[in-house]
Amino acid sequence: MKAFAAGWGILVLAVILNLAASRMGIVTWYEYLQEIPSAGLASATMRLKIIDFAFLFLFYPFSLGFVAVLIAKHFS
């Protein structure tokens, strides 16, 4: 049950974060990964603004991990 709840929590938060990022003009994982095949990994990464990089590699994984930990503690 704990894994199921954590999965749902991560899924819901991921959708919310992606919608918010899109509305704010921040690159999402979907957009970033779409660009890699045509531009290459290095080029796609170099095109990211600081806010895009911070969202993708810091804020997004921290937020998803944090919600998983909160849910896991709630079901302990």
Side-chain angles (χ1 to χ4, degrees):
M1 186 65 180
K2 188 186 314 186
F4 185 70
W8 269 103
I10 290 168
L11 176 63
V12 169
L13 183 60
V15 169
I16 291 168
L17 289 174
N18 281 309
L19 287 171
S22 289
R23 290 192 178 163
M24 292 187 291
I26 298 172
V27 173
T28 64
W29 277 106
Y30 179 76
E31 296 163 339
Y32 176 61
L33 293 174
Q34 287 279 12
E35 189 174 346
I36 291 173
S38 60
L41 179 61
S43 181
T45 303
M46 294 300 291
R47 292 181 188 174
L48 294 174
K49 296 176 284 194
I50 291 174
I51 190 144
D52 300 328
F53 190 87
F55 175 76
L56 290 174
F57 295 100
L58 299 174
F59 183 74
Y60 193 79
F62 175 79
S63 299
L64 298 182
F66 186 71
V67 79
V69 168
L70 285 179
I71 290 171
K73 283 187 179 193
H74 178 73
F75 281 94
S76 293

